[in-house]
Amino acid sequence: MDFWATVLVLFRRWYVTFPVFALVLAGAAGVYVKFPKTYVSSSALALTVPRDGGSVPADPKFPNPVVNPIVNIDSGLGLSASILIQGLNTAEIAEKAGVRPGGRTTFKVSNGTTNPELMITVPFVVISSEAPTPQEAYDVVVRLNRLAQEKLVEQQRALGAPPATYLKALEVVPPTTPEEKTGSRLRAAFVALAMGLFLAMAAAFAVESMAQARRARRAEPPLAVNGVPVPHGLRAAARPLLRR
């Protein structure tokens, strides 16, 4: 059946299509309203070296030059950020942040890029959390920021680095105000709308098919057995008698 024939059937059976379509719209709106809400909060940290550099002078009389930590960027910061990210994406850190397995609250720690080639070249640690309430999403990011600071110190202490050379995590983007993530709700409403439209079309074509079947039965020539007219509903049973 071509497009215009389909449209014609839908309009001819408007008394079926329109009520079903109204129910579809109401159902899609209900799905959008009732679908669980999700809120997102995030923050970003940048690793920096101390202002006296990443080494301790051998002779105290000739200390390292004092530099601006923000402009003193080298490849080692990107590698350190990558190591820190791996250390934060563990079940132990998730438990400390209050994120339980199988729950709706989740978090993600990355360097802010999806390019694997940039994994060890970007000195950033980007933290985001999704939760069913704004406060929970915000609290998880705050806890992860604190845990990132502690983890960074723990990793450097484990390597035996001099405390004066410890890298620091500068909070360049504090935990943001949680915002609702509407994409999932819109997708759910769209799926409900698409399924409803399919059901509306199926109902219209079912009614059209039954109407055509009734017209075809009425157009059949009259059937009689021994001169007695046979009703339409009994013609199928009466035909074998006529063959005898």
Side-chain angles (χ1 to χ4, degrees):
M1 184 177 292
D2 60 23
F3 173 76
W4 292 112
T6 302
V7 173
L8 182 62
V9 170
L10 294 179
F11 275 95
R12 185 163 55 237
R13 304 302 172 185
W14 62 268
Y15 52 86
V16 175
T17 307
F18 286 178
V20 174
F21 184 70
L23 292 175
V24 168
L25 291 179
V31 169
Y32 181 82
V33 172
K34 296 297 184 180
F35 197 82
K37 295 182 179 180
T38 302
Y39 295 88
V40 181
S41 179
S42 61
S43 68
L45 307 175
L47 300 192
T48 61
V49 297
R51 65 188 189 94
D52 294 328
S55 62
V56 177
D59 189 345
K61 295 180 180 180
F62 300 96
N64 293 333
V66 177
V67 297
N68 186 339
I70 296 180
V71 300
N72 190 13
I73 303 295
D74 58 33
S75 60
L77 291 178
L79 178 60
S80 299
S82 179
I83 295 173
L84 178 59
I85 290 170
Q86 299 302 318
L88 293 174
N89 282 305
T90 62
E92 179 186 2
I93 293 296
E95 183 179 357
K96 291 181 179 179
V99 178
R100 294 174 177 79
R104 287 187 54 205
T105 301
T106 60
F107 74 91
K108 180 181 179 181
V109 183
S110 68
N111 65 346
T113 179
T114 58
N115 188 348
E117 296 179 358
L118 299 178
M119 182 60 68
I120 61 174
T121 61
V122 181
F124 294 109
V125 177
V126 179
I127 300 171
S128 63
S129 174
E130 297 183 5
T133 64
Q135 189 62 46
E136 186 173 0
Y138 181 85
D139 290 344
V140 169
V141 174
V142 171
R143 296 189 200 106
L144 287 171
N145 278 11
R146 174 178 53 81
L147 291 169
Q149 301 283 356
E150 297 174 356
K151 192 69 173 179
L152 182 60
V153 173
E154 175 187 328
Q155 290 176 341
Q156 294 176 97
R157 184 185 297 119
L159 294 173
T165 65
Y166 279 7
L167 301 179
K168 297 181 180 180
L170 175 65
E171 195 174 68
V172 293
V173 179
T176 59
T177 302
E179 297 181 354
E180 184 182 352
K181 184 180 179 182
T182 58
S184 299
R185 299 174 69 194
L186 288 175
R187 284 192 295 272
F190 178 79
V191 170
L193 180 63
M195 293 180 63
L197 291 176
F198 176 78
L199 292 176
M201 293 180 61
F205 279 99
V207 172
E208 178 70 12
S209 177
M210 290 188 292
Q212 290 180 357
R214 284 197 299 269
R215 287 196 297 267
R217 287 196 300 269
R218 291 171 183 171
E220 291 181 1
L223 182 66
V225 176
N226 297 328
V228 180
V230 178
H232 286 279
L234 300 178
R235 288 185 177 185
R239 284 193 178 93
L241 298 176
L242 296 177
R243 298 193 188 101
R244 296 177 181 177

